[in-house]
Each structure stands twice: as structure tokens, then as C-alpha cells.
Amino acid sequence: MNRSTDNRAPKALVSEAALSMQFKTPRVLYIEDHEDTRELVTLLLSQKSYEVVTGSTIESGIALAHSQRFDLYLLDSWLPDGSGLELCQRIRQFDKTTPILFYSAAAYASDYEMALQCGAQAYLIKPSQPSDLCRLVSDLIESSRRKWTHAGQ
């Protein structure tokens, strides 16, 4: 039997890190001080196969974001120890790439603009349709994963 030998290494399509990121359960850090809203959104996202970790203050958000890796930060604008804008800015000091989505009742155009200036990628006014929240969460995570997959090639 005649076999040709190719000594060249196979070309990797994606790095191992990018591949494992593509198939792991997406993790969301949700910071919301209103307990009922926090539980409802956690249930909704959990049913869509997201792992949701929650906190209710800026300090809990910073501690969790420093100690674990997340695929998305979901933030409220009004927290008992300050604003979600402050939390967003503090997260951006050590994590420049993970998408940040504000989910807030603050409905002025200036609220949206300030969130984007602080480093958020998107802003959704609550209440909203559950499908809108799920679609936006999914789109932001998938977009971020595509960037990492392409960067790993």
C-alpha cells in the first residue's frame, strides 16, 4: 500500500481556548437591587441555558467580576450604593472586552448615551418583552465569542 506522508502540521481552524469558549454554558453576572426583578430575569435566562450569578450592589458586582469569568454583565442603573454607570466604569478598569448590557427603567436618551460612554455595548429599557432581553443577551455574547474565535486563529 502506497501512502504519501505529509509532514506539515494541520492548519488549526480555531484555537483550543476559542473552541472551548464556543461550547461552554454562557455565564451572566446580573446586578439588580430589586429582588423580584432579579429572580424573574434569573429564571428567564436560566430557562434559556444561561448560568446567572447575581448581586445587588456595586461592591458585590465588583467582587464577583474580579473573582469569576463572565460572558456578559447585565446591570441596573440604580443601586443602593451608587449608580450602574459607576459599576460599569469600574468593571471597564479591569475588563475591557466582556459585553455590558444595561437593563434599566431609566428611559431618557441621556441615560442610554451615558451608559455607552461608560463602556456599555447596549441598553434595554424595562419593562420589556422577555424575548427582547433574551435576544439581546444572546446577540451580545455571540458577537463577543465571534471576535475571540477570529482573534484565536
Side-chain angles (χ1 to χ4, degrees):
M1 180 185 275
N2 187 8
R3 289 187 175 200
S4 64
T5 305
D6 187 354
N7 293 328
R8 293 177 292 170
K11 184 177 178 181
L13 296 178
V14 293
S15 71
E16 284 184 40
L19 192 59
S20 69
M21 182 186 301
Q22 191 174 13
F23 294 109
K24 72 179 181 95
T25 301
R27 300 187 77 230
V28 175
L29 175 59
Y30 181 34
I31 305 300
E32 165 67 61
D33 63 318
H34 190 261
E35 186 176 349
D36 290 343
T37 303
R38 195 170 57 241
E39 288 178 8
L40 182 64
V41 170
T42 298
L43 178 64
L44 175 68
L45 294 177
S46 295
Q47 288 177 340
K48 298 292 185 180
S49 299
Y50 293 98
E51 179 183 341
V52 182
V53 176
T54 64
S56 60
T57 64
I58 290 173
E59 290 311 312
S60 66
I62 292 297
L64 288 164
H66 265 297
S67 66
Q68 301 178 43
R69 177 160 185 337
F70 295 96
D71 297 290
L72 180 101
Y73 300 111
L74 182 59
L75 309 180
D76 186 25
S77 289
W78 300 308
L79 301 168
D81 56 346
S83 77
L85 296 173
E86 178 187 343
L87 176 56
C88 182
Q89 289 173 321
R90 289 181 62 186
I91 288 171
R92 284 295 178 236
Q93 290 174 358
F94 61 87
D95 184 346
K96 307 254 189 252
T97 59
T98 302
I100 296 176
L101 166 59
F102 271 85
Y103 187 49
S104 176
Y108 292 108
S110 61
D111 297 314
Y112 168 81
E113 291 165 3
M114 289 189 326
L116 295 183
Q117 289 173 2
C118 289
Q121 280 64 44
Y123 195 101
L124 184 62
I125 298 168
K126 61 183 172 184
S128 68
Q129 291 297 317
S131 59
D132 292 341
L133 177 60
C134 290
R135 184 174 38 256
L136 195 47
V137 166
S138 175
D139 288 351
L140 289 168
I141 290 173
E142 289 307 311
S143 175
S144 177
R145 286 184 172 184
R146 277 193 304 273
K147 286 179 189 173
W148 281 106
T149 301
H150 286 95
Q153 289 186 350

